[in-house]
Structures are given as C-alpha cells and as structure tokens.
Amino acid sequence: QVQLVESGGGSVQAGGALRLSCAVFGYSPYCMGWFRQAPGKEREGVAGIDSVGRTSYADSVKGRFAISKDTAKNTLYLQMNSLKPEDTAMYYCAAGWGVNCLHRNTYKYWGQGTQVTVSS
C-alpha cells in the first residue's frame, strides 16, 4: 500500500514560481509522477520520474518545470517556474508501475491533490 500527501500549492502571478511536495508513505513504486486537471478537462501527465531518476515531461512544461525526488526523505517534488495562467489546475501526485512514467494508466496510487492558481 502507498499513501501520497501533496502540499505546496497556492496562488501566484504569472511568471512566478511554486514548489509542490509529495510525501510518500509505504514503499516507492517504479514510477512517480505529477498530473494536473483543470475544470472541464482531462487529467494530464505533467512530469514523471522512474526509480533510477530518468525524467519525462509534457511538452507544455518542458524547460519550466522540474521533477525530482529525495529518497532519504521519501518525498517527490515539482519545481514550477515561469508559471502561466494555463498552468492553473489541481495537481496530483501519483505512484505506480509501467514503462511510461508520464502515462495515466501507469499509476495506481493518487494523492488528494493541491490547487495551483496562476493569475495574469
């Protein structure tokens, strides 16, 4: 069993930055990732990281977001820079097993979400 607890969301102006954290309780699966869902839209993969540290990103966030993990602290992070209004969404941490750490079907465990709001 894996439990995930996100924190770090909030409101920021365009161009600003936020760092999301996800505390992982239980064992760490092969893939860890961040997803987001805006009202009326599908949940989409933002960033993923596998057990050896290989990362993958959605095209919309490449160069602006960075996923990382601290194994000693059992914590996953998402550093978000140069935020845009279109980044506004509920952000979810996820854990699972699969070959594609950016694909929703890889993930079995989900956090409760943390809201990110970017104003223009």
Side-chain angles (χ1 to χ4, degrees), residues 9 51 97:
S51 61
W97 295 263

Side-chain angles (χ1 to χ4, degrees), residues 42-101:
E42 295 282 323
R43 189 172 296 190
E44 63 174 353
V46 174
I49 186 167
D50 67 16
S51 61
V52 296
R54 289 175 296 209
T55 59
S56 52
Y57 295 93
D59 288 343
S60 59
V61 305
K62 281 181 182 176
R64 301 188 298 122
F65 290 12
I67 188 171
S68 62
K69 59 182 179 178
D70 185 328
T71 303
K73 295 182 179 180
N74 271 356
T75 303
L76 181 73
Y77 301 100
L78 184 68
Q79 178 65 44
M80 305 185 294
N81 299 325
S82 302
L83 282 161
K84 303 175 181 180
E86 51 263 44
D87 294 318
T88 295
M90 185 70 79
Y91 283 70
Y92 298 89
C93 174
W97 295 263
V99 296
N100 186 340
C101 293

